[in-house]
Amino acid sequence: MSRTNPPHGRVGRPPVTSRTQIITVARRLIDESGWAKLTIRGLAAELGIGATTLYHHVRDKEDLLLLLIHEYAQQIPHPEPSDEPRDRIIAAATSIHDALTEWPLSAEVLTGDRFISRLSTPALRLIEEILSGAVDHGCTPEQAVQVFRDIWYFTVGEVLIRDHSADGPEAEAEAEAEAEAGTEAEAEAEAGTEAEAEAEAGTEAETGAGAEKVPAVDGGAFVNDLDPEQLPLLTALNDRWTALAARDTYPATLGILVDGLLAQAAPPAARNRTR
């Protein structure tokens, strides 16, 4: 009987190096542990490849993040075309807002005026839609850039503030859980000696007689110990502030903002005179 020669080369699990799999695993790790805890070596280990192999696809974490953003931008739905310039601007801005809300990390990365150079064509088309809508309404190209910038700053700020506010209680709970899970040595280190406690508390001479301490906030109030004589409106709204601030006012505020920006546009006659 003839013997079958064993296959040559590497056997076992092949290295996973496709772009799709890298992106999928990276997104999963980010969702599970956060961007800060993701490392290239950790991602490579999860993929079953060496870090050197992964470096052939991404140079560093920033390069990986841009790859993730470009891939994510491919999935952003584009609004239906409209004949009304204002409607096109609002629809494009809403698509950007919804995409950033779905993945707030992208908003963190895209802050700054040079962010456009980091975007791929699908995302740039939304920016083009805002610019063209402003120009069709009567803005000069220079005014259109300002319209986009103001919308962008408002949108990113709204997304990041809401995301950070939503993560606040979770971050506090996680910190408390980590503290409870600490070792006895860590607990002793936190407690410190009596001398350390006295140093932390500080004397009146060190802190200053006129120094004010920020009071802790309980769960039902926005700020504790408000003086109703000096801050009457904040005092009256204190218990309802959190609920009021949690309302989704982005669509209405966006409309007001766009109307105000377009109202400052140069009229068509003025545009023709400048040509």
Side-chain angles (χ1 to χ4, degrees), residues 27-151:
R27 279 296 302 269
R28 176 172 60 79
L29 293 178
I30 292 171
D31 291 341
E32 291 175 355
S33 304
W35 170 252
K37 295 183 179 179
L38 179 68
T39 65
I40 294 295
R41 290 187 177 276
L43 175 59
E46 194 71 18
L47 289 165
I49 60 177
T52 303
T53 302
L54 185 56
Y55 279 123
H56 288 303
H57 297 269
V58 290
R59 296 187 300 272
D60 48 31
K61 279 187 68 174
E62 181 179 359
D63 194 36
L64 172 63
L65 189 53
L66 292 179
L67 177 64
L68 290 168
I69 290 175
H70 291 166
E71 184 71 16
Y72 185 63
Q74 299 280 351
Q75 306 170 24
I76 299 176
H78 285 258
E80 294 294 329
S82 172
D83 294 332
E84 292 295 328
R86 177 187 182 276
D87 293 343
R88 298 208 311 268
I89 294 172
I90 290 179
T94 301
S95 292
I96 293 174
H97 172 269
D98 293 346
L100 296 178
T101 301
E102 185 70 21
W103 194 31
L105 177 62
S106 59
E108 295 274 9
V109 177
L110 296 175
T111 54
D113 287 334
R114 293 184 57 82
F115 78 94
I116 290 181
S117 63
R118 300 182 172 190
L119 296 177
S120 55
T121 300
L124 292 175
R125 282 203 298 267
L126 291 172
I127 299 175
E128 177 74 17
E129 195 68 23
I130 294 175
L131 295 175
S132 66
V135 170
D136 290 347
H137 177 82
C139 293
T140 65
E142 292 76 14
Q143 289 174 327
V145 171
Q146 193 60 50
V147 168
F148 167 73
R149 281 178 49 127
D150 289 345
I151 292 173

Side-chain angles (χ1 to χ4, degrees), residues 86 90 93-94 150-151 154-155 158 162 247-261:
R86 177 187 182 276
I90 290 179
T94 301
D150 289 345
I151 292 173
F154 164 61
T155 300
E158 203 268 351
R162 286 193 177 277
R247 292 178 177 176
D248 182 13
T249 60
Y250 179 82
T253 308
L254 174 64
I256 295 171
L257 175 62
V258 170
D259 289 340
L261 294 172

Side-chain angles (χ1 to χ4, degrees), residues 94 154 183 199 210 212 217 231 250:
T94 301
F154 164 61
T183 63
E212 296 183 359
V217 180
L231 305 168
Y250 179 82

Side-chain angles (χ1 to χ4, degrees), residues 217-236:
V217 180
D218 62 39
F222 180 63
V223 182
N224 281 347
D225 301 330
L226 289 175
D227 185 340
E229 292 186 1
Q230 298 187 50
L231 305 168
L233 288 177
L234 277 175
T235 302

